[in-house]
Amino acid sequence: MGDGVEPESSDSLRTFGAVLQALREHAGLSREEFAEQVRFSKHTVASVELGRRMPDESLVEASEGVLGNTGALRRAAVHLMRQPGLAAWFRQWARLESLAITLYTYECRMLPGLLQTKAYAEALSEAQLPPLDDAQIEERWAARAERQKLLLERPNSAFSFILEEHLFLRRTGGADVTRGLIDHVLEVSEFRNVEIQVMPVVQEAHAGLQGPIRLLETPENKWYAYNEGQESGQLIADAKVVSVLQRRYARMRSQALTIQDSVSLLQRMRGDL
């Protein structure tokens, strides 16, 4: 299915936030006072307490220090990463992704989860082996739809996607599904914080032939990369490796069609269906 199988439930985020707020209030700290002590913004603390944002590991650790080192927050944070529907190898990346200020994605296998429609995701699930039942397919889509809220809820985060033209030419799920998919991608491309480029099928120079690339930048300006295979994934923190992938992605941005030409191509492809 790609993208690891997807994120934690919003209920668990709200539960963690409620625990954090209760401990903060028990310590007699206002949200502003607490934010100053843990060295995060008041806005970030509020987002976590209201269950709108995944807690960063450094926030969890700082909060423990300020609130008495009870271990309650550490245990609650671990529980967040054990929710059904989230592949074990995807957990670290999902947490980082929910906090990222920059996210780059190059895909040559299927449309990234952040851009999929329900019909497209269901077509992928229905073709999966071993087979999935209806409940599993619906659960996967619900989780993916929840994750897609990142595009709207993080308007100050920059998202870049480079997509191979053949992902649309394959017509996964049929012509109707592909029409809906292209319409959705065109709609998302209008978001101010999203850039979508198409890599044409005919391209003599291509820096991404080694496979998909995912990169992100944290609020602390640290970069990570992620590679995912058939049944495994790898979070990459090695600065040298990340640098190589950054250079490849930068080269691909110059090799792919411009944003405007990518939109024009997708519109033509939509008209040909």
Side-chain angles (χ1 to χ4, degrees), residues 4-113:
V5 188
E6 324 297 328
E8 55 288 328
S9 71
S10 56
D11 287 344
S12 61
L13 287 177
R14 286 193 289 268
T15 299
F16 179 90
V19 171
L20 176 61
Q21 182 174 348
L23 290 173
R24 173 180 61 76
E25 292 175 348
H26 181 72
L29 296 172
S30 69
R31 191 171 281 166
E32 188 171 10
E33 290 170 335
F34 176 72
E36 184 177 349
Q37 291 195 40
V38 296
R39 298 190 177 186
F40 277 80
S41 70
K42 180 182 176 181
H43 173 74
T44 297
V45 172
S47 294
V48 173
E49 288 188 348
L50 294 173
R52 297 173 181 166
R53 175 170 176 166
M54 186 73 176
D56 185 77
E57 184 177 349
S58 57
L59 174 59
V60 174
E61 289 303 314
S63 299
E64 283 282 7
V66 171
L67 300 176
N69 280 310
T70 64
L73 293 174
R74 291 192 189 96
R75 289 192 293 273
V78 169
H79 174 71
L80 282 178
M81 305 312 293
R82 290 180 177 170
Q83 293 302 306
L86 182 64
W89 63 81
F90 192 67
R91 292 170 184 167
Q92 286 180 290
W93 181 260
R95 177 177 61 80
L96 291 169
E97 184 184 63
S98 69
L99 302 169
I101 61 173
T102 306
L103 186 71
Y104 294 160
T105 303
Y106 162 65
E107 257 301 347
C108 55
R109 303 168 301 183
M110 67 190 75
L111 263 289

Side-chain angles (χ1 to χ4, degrees), residues 154-253:
R154 301 189 63 80
N156 299 122
S157 294
F159 296 85
S160 168
F161 298 91
I162 299 176
L163 311 171
E164 290 287 346
E165 180 182 358
H166 69 250
L167 297 179
F168 302 96
L169 295 174
R170 183 174 292 135
R171 299 189 182 185
T172 299
D176 288 342
V177 171
T178 304
R179 272 192 290 269
L181 184 67
I182 293 176
D183 286 342
H184 177 66
V185 171
L186 288 171
E187 180 182 345
V188 173
S189 73
E190 296 178 0
F191 296 177
R192 284 195 299 271
N193 62 329
V194 176
E195 294 183 351
I196 295 177
Q197 293 178 261
V198 175
M199 183 70 77
V201 170
V202 179
Q203 177 55 269
E204 294 183 2
H206 193 322
L209 295 179
Q210 288 86 349
I213 293 176
R214 267 191 255 187
L215 296 157
L216 65 73
E217 180 186 12
T218 70
E220 295 76 32
N221 305 117
K222 180 172 177 58
W223 284 84
Y224 291 90
Y226 177 74
N227 287 331
E228 185 171 288
Q230 292 274 342
E231 293 293 332
S232 64
Q234 178 186 18
L235 179 69
I236 302 170
D238 187 313
K240 291 183 179 179
V241 177
V242 172
S243 177
V244 169
L245 296 177
Q246 285 176 311
R247 295 199 299 273
R248 290 177 184 170
Y249 194 89
R251 178 66 60 83
M252 278 193 290
R253 294 182 86 167

